[in-house]
């Protein structure tokens, strides 16, 4: 019997680790997570905040029997094992693993909100997600990932 939940997980990082480049670190994280049903290509994106290094970002569809808080705890343990340390928000980091959506709809606790509170405004999350789950609907807005990406792109200033 297959695991009952599907999760959309965002992956990012912009520092080298023992696994090599940020993109190689994302691949190592995916191997550690397991249950990968689909993974987007890795894209390079400019940083938010004070970091000067570009980020490697991707998204994965993960199958797991774990409820959201249990998966989150496991993702945070994987981050620590790959060199993530508590520190300045928006700074350089070897890995960042976030639950963006799950097949159970909404989840809310003191330490976790699914869908991720900021994902609708982040092209670096939406673009990879659109490559693997373009028709998955945000349970809050009712819009598909593809529609949310189009909205973000329309708001971006043209250069």
């Amino acid at each position: 019997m297959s695991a009952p939940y599907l999760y959309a997980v965002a992956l990012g990082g912009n520092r080298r680790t023992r696994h090599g480049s940020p993109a190689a670190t994302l691949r190592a994280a995916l191997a550690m997570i397991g249950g990968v049903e689909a993974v987007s290509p890795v894209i390079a994106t400019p940083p938010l905040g004070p970091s000067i290094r570009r980020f490697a970002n991707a998204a994965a569809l993960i199958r797991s029997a774990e409820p959201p808080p249990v998966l989150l705890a496991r993702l945070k343990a994987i981050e620590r094992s790959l060199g993530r340390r508590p520190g300045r928000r928006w700074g350089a980091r070897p890995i960042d693993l976030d639950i963006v959506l799950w097949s159970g709809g909404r989840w809310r606790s003191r330490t976790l909100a699914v869908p991720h509170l900021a994902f609708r405004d982040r092209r670096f999350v939406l673009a990879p997600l659109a490559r693997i789950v373009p028709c998955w609907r945000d349970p809050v807005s009712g819009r598909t990932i593809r529609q949310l990406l189009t909205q973000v792109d329309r708001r971006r200033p043209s250069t």
Side-chain angles (χ1 to χ4, degrees), residues 55-143:
F55 272 78
N57 289 103
L61 189 62
I62 307 295
R63 185 171 296 276
S64 174
E66 298 161 305
V70 175
L71 178 61
L72 178 66
R74 192 160 65 86
L75 294 178
K76 295 306 165 194
I78 291 169
E79 286 180 349
R80 287 188 301 277
S81 77
L82 291 170
R84 176 86 186 256
R85 300 292 175 255
R88 177 173 55 165
R89 190 174 185 186
W90 309 115
R93 65 195 64 159
I95 190 74
D96 189 20
L97 303 171
D98 289 320
I99 299 170
V100 178
L101 295 163
W102 78 306
S103 58
R106 296 182 194 192
W107 179 277
R108 189 68 173 230
S109 69
R110 190 178 58 77
T111 58
L112 176 62
V114 181
H116 189 283
L117 295 175
F119 92 99
R120 293 169 202 86
D121 298 318
R122 294 181 172 172
R123 188 175 203 294
F124 64 88
V125 173
L126 293 169
L129 275 177
R131 297 292 296 269
I132 58 172
V133 289
C135 297
W136 197 338
R137 290 194 181 274
D138 170 15
V140 174
S141 70
R143 291 188 170 89

Side-chain angles (χ1 to χ4, degrees), residues 11-32 39-45 53-59 82 93-97:
L11 302 92
N14 69 344
R15 284 192 24 225
R16 293 182 67 79
T17 67
R18 69 183 183 276
H19 297 282
S21 69
T25 301
L26 298 187
R27 288 189 293 275
L30 286 169
M32 295 168 84
V39 64
S40 73
V42 175
I43 61 170
T45 60
R53 295 182 178 122
R54 291 179 65 78
F55 272 78
N57 289 103
L82 291 170
R93 65 195 64 159
I95 190 74
D96 189 20
L97 303 171

